[in-house]
Each structure stands twice: as C-alpha cells, then as structure tokens.
Amino acid sequence: GAVVSQHPSWVICKSGTSVKIECRSLDFQATTMFWYRQFPKQSLMLMATSNEGSKATYEQGVEKDKFLINHASLTLSTLTVTSAHPEDSSFYICSAQTSGSADTQYFGPGTRLTVL
Amino acid sequence: EDKVVQSPLSLVVHEGDTVTLNCSYEVTNFRSLLWYKQEKKAPTFLFMLTSSGIEKKSGRLSSILDKKELFSILNITATQTGDSAVYLCAVIGFGNQFYFGTGTSLTVIP
C-alpha cells in the first residue's frame, strides 16, 4: 500500500514552454503533498507544501508564478513549470502524507525534466 | 515490484545509546543507495553508497552497503537529542528513478 506515482517519468521540452508534472496517491488519500527539487550532491530542496483544496505554501526563494501547484483532489497534485528554461532542468520529486501519519511521507519516483 | 523497506518503523532510545537502522531493497538495475535525515523541511543528505563493504563515516554516523544481501545499515553512536528525526533510505534504479522507504522515526530522549 501507500504508493505514489508521478507522470511523466521523463520529459524533454523546449525553452519557453510549460510542463505539467502529476503526482498521484494511488491507494490512499493525501491530505498534504510536498514538492521537492533535487540539486547536485543528492540534496533535496523543498519547494512547496500543498493541502487539498487550498493554496500551496511556497518556500522562500521559490517563485510561485513560475512553479504553479494545484492540489485539486485528495489523490492528485500537479506542478506546472511555466516558461521553462534550461536552469529549470532538474529532478522533481513529490511526496504525500495522510492526515493520520504526521511523520510518514510516501515519495514518488520522481520526474526528470530537461529543458533544451 | 521494486521496493525499499526500512526497519524498524519507529525507535525510542536514551541519549548515549547506539542505534542501527536497516534498509533492505529490491530494485531493478540498482545504481546507488542514499540515506537522508528528515526533520522539519527537506531531507538532508547523509550518505550515498554504491559499492559493497565500504563504510562511509561522518562523525557519529556511519553506513555500509551489502549488495549481495541487498541491504544497508545506518549506525548512530552516542545518540543525542538532536538526532531525533525520520531517517529515509532511497535507492536509485533504472532510469534514475528514486525508490524511497517510508522511513524510521528515531526519538532520542534525555
């Protein structure tokens, strides 16, 4: 149980286009979802926290107009990278949390974005 | 099915104790195994292991990988209250996909 999927696994796009990444909890309801970006040396940076039905809370330094997060249902959150540029190329990982498990996050497999 | 399993799920110890956290995996085309410490925000990277039998050490923390038996352990000696956190294990497999365990919640009491 507690499976989180991401779609797509890998995406290559041209500079200036927008890319949408989906994060789904397959067998549980995710009241909270987190979006991370992986930086060199394997560190993960928390970008934003989203609660179902409300606006996402962005971490300092993350542009909310560039990284649009929508958590429209208890099983789906989307991250849209708008007007993507090569420096946005990275590995984006989501995780999901249920209301009854304060410490446990279930991570997705990640989406690799390459912007040409 | 690729998976990463961590044990125990939760652990409470006294300051000064030594703890061993376990991570076993079944992942296609294993590339590396990573350990993270997660407190409030994003997970903090601890170690990346790619070769069997080579211990990685950082202060009171150490980790080792056994690619034959498909597991890794994370040791913390002389634990302190600041070590209280969730420790995550992740394996990178085919296509650079991450497979995370659900973590071990460690609580160190004074």
Side-chain angles (χ1 to χ4, degrees):
Chain A
V3 176
V4 174
S5 70
Q6 284 185 236
H7 176 81
S9 300
W10 211 315
V11 56
I12 301 173
C13 68
K14 289 185 178 180
S15 189
T17 60
S18 293
V19 174
K20 182 187 280 189
I21 302 170
E22 292 185 350
C23 175
R24 289 183 186 272
S25 58
L26 298 185
D27 50 4
F28 66 100
Q29 293 185 328
T31 49
T32 305
M33 284 187 169
F34 304 86
W35 285 96
Y36 297 90
R37 179 175 175 174
Q38 184 196 20
F39 281 97
K41 295 190 177 180
Q42 316 303 330
S43 61
L44 294 176
M45 181 195 82
L46 178 64
M47 299 175 66
T49 302
S50 74
N51 293 294
E52 186 264 338
S54 59
K55 288 185 178 180
T57 302
Y58 289 80
E59 295 300 307
Q60 195 171 10
V62 178
E63 299 174 62
K64 59 181 69 175
D65 293 331
K66 181 165 182 63
F67 298 99
L68 301 178
I69 290 172
N70 184 276
H71 192 164
S73 77
L74 285 171
T75 59
L76 174 66
S77 177
T78 59
L79 166 68
T80 302
V81 183
T82 61
S83 187
H85 290 283
E87 58 265 30
D88 298 325
S89 298
S90 191
F91 199 71
Y92 294 87
I93 299 176
C94 74
S95 71
Q97 196 173 65
T98 67
S99 59
S101 60
D103 284 342
T104 302
Q105 289 187 29
Y106 302 98
F107 284 82
T111 295
R112 181 162 296 283
L113 170 64
T114 301
V115 185
L116 303 177
Chain B
E1 180 189 346
D2 295 319
K3 61 182 179 183
V4 174
V5 178
Q6 290 185 246
S7 63
L9 291 178
S10 184
L11 197 56
V12 179
V13 300
H14 286 97
E15 264 191 322
D17 287 351
T18 294
V19 296
T20 299
L21 310 182
N22 302 289
C23 175
S24 64
Y25 62 91
E26 293 176 30
V27 174
T28 309
N29 293 331
F30 171 94
R31 296 191 60 177
S32 58
L33 184 145
L34 301 94
W35 283 98
Y36 293 89
K37 177 183 181 182
Q38 180 162 29
E39 293 169 281
K40 289 184 179 177
K41 294 290 186 179
T44 305
F45 171 73
L46 296 175
F47 299 109
M48 181 169 78
L49 304 157
T50 53
S51 302
S52 259
I54 298 174
E55 185 184 53
K56 294 232 175 165
K57 202 170 169 63
S58 175
R60 295 176 295 103
L61 276 65
S62 64
S63 184
I64 197 161
L65 173 67
D66 185 328
K67 290 168 75 174
K68 183 180 175 187
E69 300 297 329
L70 307 182
F71 77 93
S72 173
I73 59 172
L74 174 69
N75 273 323
I76 308 174
T77 58
T79 51
Q80 303 170 357
T81 53
D83 295 328
S84 297
V86 174
Y87 289 84
L88 291 166
C89 169
V91 172
I92 301 178
F94 177 76
N96 282 331
Q97 285 212 320
F98 274 65
Y99 300 89
F100 278 88
T102 52
T104 294
S105 176
L106 173 66
T107 303
V108 181
I109 53 180

